[in-house]
Amino acid sequence: MRTSRCRVLPGVTNVVKAFNEQINAETYSAYLYWSMSAALEDMQLQGFAGWMRAQAQEEMTHAAKFYHHLVERGGRVQLAAIKAPAVEWDSLKKMFEDVLKHEQLVT
């Protein structure tokens, strides 16, 4: 079993909690974009679907960076349930309005 090279300083549990929340948020974003990609595949819009898959991968990369940063500093990663994203949209326009709203929320 590998041990961390350094330990989290006492009194920074709020930082560890924030990192765990961010890992969850980044993973939810990936779920949302994968869900949108699947809906776009159903609409035969492979170009848009591929773009959404790329966005999902980017979000998972962000989550991994937070994960590794926390682990390398002796923090405890505590994964939480990921909220299920929407699976249907009324229109392509509505989907991309949701993308914009989500990015404004998480940025």
Side-chain angles (χ1 to χ4, degrees), residues 46-91:
Q46 285 77 19
F48 282 133
W51 186 81
M52 284 296 181
R53 283 191 306 278
Q55 302 315 302
Q57 184 58 50
E58 180 181 356
E59 299 301 337
M60 290 306 295
T61 299
H62 296 163
K65 286 180 180 181
F66 281 101
Y67 173 96
H68 292 295
H69 184 85
L70 194 54
V71 168
E72 288 170 1
R73 284 150 185 80
R76 176 72 166 101
V77 173
Q78 296 179 320
L79 301 177
I82 307 300
K83 184 178 98 173
V87 296
E88 293 185 26
W89 287 264
D90 293 333
S91 67

Side-chain angles (χ1 to χ4, degrees), residues 32-43 45 48-49 51-52 86-103:
L32 177 62
Y33 295 143
W34 278 323
S35 183
M36 290 176 169
S37 178
L40 290 161
E41 289 284 354
D42 285 347
M43 292 183 227
L45 298 171
F48 282 133
W51 186 81
M52 284 296 181
V87 296
E88 293 185 26
W89 287 264
D90 293 333
S91 67
L92 187 60
K93 180 181 179 200
K94 176 66 173 130
M95 181 186 289
F96 279 89
E97 288 171 348
D98 287 353
V99 169
L100 176 60
K101 184 170 35 169
H102 180 72
E103 284 296 321

